[in-house]
Amino acid sequence: MKLKRIILAGSFLLAIAGVSFFFGNSGEANTLAILPDQAQTTVNKMLDSIDHFKTVKTKIKTEGVHEQSNVTEIEINTVRKFTASATTTYTDGKVINEYQNDQFLVEDPVKKEFTQHKISKENSEKWKEKPKKRVEFNEQGEIQFHPRKNPIFVGTATSNNLIFPQDLALGIMMRAEKVDYLGTEKLLNRNVSVLSIIPMDIQQSSLGNYIKIWVDDQTGIVVKYVSYKDNTLFLSNEMLSLEIDSEISVKSSPDLSAYKNITNQ
């Protein structure tokens, strides 16, 4: 799983892609945030966003202090068999095409290279299973998080965490210093709930010291994510368009006969 995430993110060290760091069991990381009722309702929807759509088609813009600005166009189909495809275009002109069918494949049309990986049965079949408990404490009083298996490794870690934001909910919001519900707005002609997050001190070096998110009320998808560090933009992920349950045609794997396979390099 980590290998695939590294391949997807490339040189990115996205803040919300690193939430596994906070799944450790030491110090203040064992403190759970007290969430307002409205925020808890939103978090519950985020944890199981995949249950609230059949297809997603979206375009996401990413920029930040550690990121090269890019736009990712992604299509996901969860009906019958999970499939997804994405195209990420960077400001320097580089394009990465990604596909997931029976296998996970990343294509670099600039370098004429690709990487290819089998999708485990665990990820391809068991993602529908919900953990009975999302959060519990072991006999030592340490927090144990139980994320749902995530079926997607397409569209960079950023897209992944917006469309399936359970890591954001479990790893950041439930351990935050403070979470506030700011009300509702309209984004992309959709009703969204707006929340602010002040991460714990140990999180702020990688997340920033203030986060604001806009969550689609229907699906739990994060339509917009902005973080700041000392009043300066740290990371921004914003959906420029979003279509839920529309007719889509997820791209199939391309002809790569002219490409070099660098999977094991």
Side-chain angles (χ1 to χ4, degrees):
M1 180 181 296
K2 291 183 179 178
L3 174 61
K4 293 176 181 178
R5 188 175 294 277
I6 290 171
I7 293 169
L8 283 173
S11 61
F12 292 157
L13 296 175
L14 298 175
I16 55 179
V19 295
S20 60
F21 169 79
F22 304 110
F23 288 171
N25 296 312
S26 62
E28 63 176 312
N30 285 320
T31 303
L32 286 178
I34 299 175
L35 302 180
D37 290 342
Q38 301 100 320
Q40 186 63 62
T41 299
T42 300
V43 166
N44 292 342
K45 187 63 70 71
M46 292 168 65
L47 290 174
D48 289 309
S49 65
I50 197 169
D51 293 334
H52 305 293
F53 61 81
K54 295 179 180 179
T55 67
V56 170
K57 182 177 182 180
T58 184
K59 181 183 293 186
I60 303 168
K61 182 179 181 179
T62 298
E63 55 186 350
V65 294
H66 297 302
E67 281 43 84
Q68 182 187 153
S69 297
N70 65 82
V71 173
T72 295
E73 298 181 63
I74 187 168
E75 294 187 353
I76 297 170
N77 190 336
T78 66
V79 181
R80 296 180 184 174
K81 182 178 181 180
F82 188 97
T83 54
S85 65
T87 298
T88 301
T89 305
Y90 299 89
T91 51
D92 65 0
K94 184 177 181 181
V95 177
I96 297 290
N97 293 316
E98 304 169 38
Y99 312 85
Q100 178 174 357
N101 291 298
D102 292 327
Q103 60 191 8
F104 169 72
L105 184 150
V106 179
E107 169 197 353
D108 184 341
V110 175
K111 293 184 177 180
K112 297 294 182 182
E113 297 174 342
F114 72 93
T115 57
Q116 186 176 19
H117 305 273
K118 278 285 188 181
I119 298 173
S120 69
K121 289 185 177 180
E122 185 177 44
N123 279 341
S124 64
E125 297 176 3
K126 293 187 177 180
W127 58 269
K128 296 181 180 180
E129 297 179 3
K130 294 184 186 179
K132 292 182 179 180
K133 292 183 179 180
R134 291 295 192 172
V135 183
E136 62 182 353
F137 292 85
N138 62 19
E139 295 179 354
Q140 290 73 41
E142 299 168 331
I143 293 175
Q144 302 293 304
F145 286 96
H146 303 292
R148 196 174 188 178
K149 291 297 179 184
N150 194 327
I152 182 173
F153 289 95
V154 174
T156 77
T158 298
S159 305
N160 197 14
N161 279 283
L162 297 186
I163 299 169
F164 304 104
Q166 63 173 354
D167 283 352
L168 169 60
L170 287 172
I172 299 177
M173 297 176 70
M174 289 189 176
R175 295 188 180 190
E177 183 70 30
K178 186 179 182 182
V179 176
D180 284 325
Y181 179 82
L182 304 181
T184 60
E185 293 182 12
K186 280 273 191 180
L187 275 183
L188 301 177
N189 202 33
R190 303 184 68 85
N191 296 322
V192 299
S193 293
V194 188
L195 285 78
S196 67
I197 307 163
I198 298 178
M200 295 184 302
D201 287 344
I202 62 171
Q203 296 174 312
Q204 292 187 9
S205 61
S206 58
L207 297 176
N209 48 31
Y210 180 79
I211 299 170
K212 192 173 179 180
I213 62 173
W214 291 255
V215 184
D216 179 45
D217 289 339
Q218 178 189 346
T219 62
I221 288 172
V222 179
V223 177
K224 186 176 180 180
Y225 172 106
V226 180
S227 65
Y228 297 90
K229 197 167 189 178
D230 301 325
N231 297 319
T232 302
L233 179 68
F234 190 69
L235 178 66
S236 172
N237 299 306
E238 180 176 4
M239 289 188 177
L240 305 179
S241 63
L242 176 63
E243 297 179 27
I244 302 294
D245 294 340
S246 62
E247 290 292 328
I248 64 173
S249 178
V250 177
K251 299 174 184 177
S252 60
S253 299
D255 178 8
L256 297 176
S257 57
Y259 283 59
K260 180 182 179 181
N261 187 343
I262 60 168
T263 300
N264 297 317
Q265 295 184 13

